[in-house]
């Protein structure tokens, strides 16, 4: 899960809501949005998320992602076009029979008492990663972290394999073993910054957290 800092609601969406009210509709529904509106919304979400899926951190674009309602429309119809409640999540990227993950695995399942939002300040810090690509709760007693891993199927084969590949290529053990604490801190900071196109490194939360895990062994 990546930490999302929400931008202000897009002006065009606010105008659509205001127009719906002025026409006596009461409120704008998600079904009222045209296809081009939904794509425009997705572009705004992807931009604010630095080009990454809100749940797994995989690189996304408008073609391989969807508008994900954190609190499902079926249970929270009043939040269907609430910008704070909508993020961009990846879609199936592999074979049809592979296990779904992220927003498509979550679907309409939602327990307010168990869920953790990408808007929470510590959502990235509550997970750890292994060299095999597995995601684990930082605190074994963190029920919300365990719930989100299972709800989003974040250890499903395709996404686990991608994490393993990125860790092996970008942060091999021999690299980390030969870096000082200062060098590790600088590397970690680099992964938390956007590039010239406003994008993050794919799986930036995995890379930064994995460095955090290795930091104690290098502490001065």
């Amino acid at each position: 899960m990546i930490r999302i800092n929400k931008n202000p609601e897009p002006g065009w969406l606010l105008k659509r809501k205001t127009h719906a009210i002025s026409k006596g509709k009461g409120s704008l529904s998600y079904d009222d949005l045209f296809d081009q509106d939904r794509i425009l919304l997705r572009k705004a979400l992807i931009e604010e998320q630095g080009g990454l899926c809100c749940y797994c951190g995989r690189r996304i674009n408008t073609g391989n992602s969807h508008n994900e309602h954190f609190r499902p429309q079926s249970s929270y119809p009043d939040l269907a076009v609430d910008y704070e409640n909508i993020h961009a999540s990846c879609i199936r990227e592999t074979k049809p029979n592979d296990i779904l993950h992220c927003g498509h695995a979550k679907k309409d399942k939602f327990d307010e008492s168990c869920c953790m939002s990408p808007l929470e300040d510590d959502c990235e810090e509550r997970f750890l990663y292994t060299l095999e690509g597995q995601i684990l709760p930082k605190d074994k007693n963190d029920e919300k972290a365990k719930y989100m891993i299972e709800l989003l199927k974040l250890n499903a084969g395709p996404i686990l394999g991608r994490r393993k590949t990125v860790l092996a290529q970008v942060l091999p053990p021999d690299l980390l073993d030969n870096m000082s604490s200062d060098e590790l801190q600088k590397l970690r900071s680099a992964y938390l910054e956007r590039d010239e196109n406003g994008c993050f490194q794919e799986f930036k939360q995995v890379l930064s957290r994995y460095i955090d895990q290795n930091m104690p062994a290098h502490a001065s």
Side-chain angles (χ1 to χ4, degrees):
M1 183 175 291
I2 67 168
R3 171 72 173 94
I4 298 175
N5 292 307
K6 272 291 185 182
N7 291 329
E9 180 179 46
W12 67 266
L13 182 56
L14 181 59
K15 288 180 180 178
R16 289 291 304 276
K17 291 179 181 180
T18 303
H19 181 72
I21 294 173
S22 70
K23 292 297 183 180
K25 283 185 59 66
S27 62
L28 184 72
S29 73
Y30 193 73
D31 288 338
D32 290 329
L33 297 180
F34 300 115
D35 287 344
Q36 57 265 35
D37 293 332
R38 298 184 186 193
I39 293 174
L40 193 60
L41 175 59
R42 196 174 312 141
K43 286 181 178 179
L45 297 171
I46 292 172
E47 181 178 349
E48 74 180 7
Q49 293 171 202
L52 305 183
C53 170
C54 62
Y55 295 134
C56 70
R58 168 196 165 200
R59 176 77 64 207
I60 57 173
N61 54 49
T62 56
N64 65 7
S65 63
H66 70 280
N67 297 335
E68 156 71 3
H69 290 78
F70 179 68
R71 291 176 174 80
Q73 298 182 68
S74 57
S75 301
Y76 299 83
D78 56 318
L79 299 180
V81 286
D82 185 329
Y83 190 66
E84 289 283 314
N85 186 52
I86 308 174
H87 313 306
S89 174
C90 65
I91 59 177
R92 185 194 298 277
E93 57 170 321
T94 50
K95 299 176 183 178
N97 292 330
D98 281 334
I99 298 173
L100 294 173
H101 55 79
C102 298
H104 280 178
K106 173 176 164 284
K107 296 182 180 178
D108 286 347
K109 291 173 286 187
F110 186 84
D111 185 333
E112 189 76 52
S113 66
C114 297
C115 279
M116 182 193 311
S117 167
L119 302 183
E120 294 183 30
D121 290 338
D122 64 347
C123 66
E124 292 188 10
E125 286 72 33
R126 292 167 72 168
F127 300 96
L128 298 177
Y129 300 90
T130 72
L131 272 178
E132 295 303 309
Q134 188 177 24
I135 180 173
L136 304 167
K138 179 181 179 182
D139 181 347
K140 64 180 181 181
N141 296 316
D142 188 339
E143 296 301 324
K144 285 192 174 184
K146 289 190 285 187
Y147 178 81
M148 295 307 292
I149 291 171
E150 175 58 26
L151 178 68
L152 302 171
K153 304 300 180 187
L154 293 178
N155 280 319
I159 202 66
L160 183 148
R162 287 180 73 103
R163 285 199 301 260
K164 179 180 179 180
T165 298
V166 168
L167 281 172
Q169 292 177 343
V170 181
L171 294 177
D174 58 336
L175 172 67
L176 297 179
D177 289 343
N178 290 289
M179 295 183 73
S180 68
S181 293
D182 285 346
E183 289 172 327
L184 285 171
Q185 288 283 12
K186 289 179 181 178
L187 184 60
R188 179 184 182 278
S189 296
Y191 290 136
L192 296 176
E193 295 178 357
R194 297 171 185 255
D195 63 20
E196 63 275 11
N197 296 314
C199 296
F200 290 115
Q201 163 89 31
E202 185 174 41
F203 295 121
K204 63 104 173 177
Q205 85 286 10
V206 177
L207 299 174
S208 62
R209 289 297 298 134
Y210 193 72
I211 291 175
D212 283 343
Q213 292 168 224
N214 283 270
M215 198 68 74
H218 297 265
S220 57

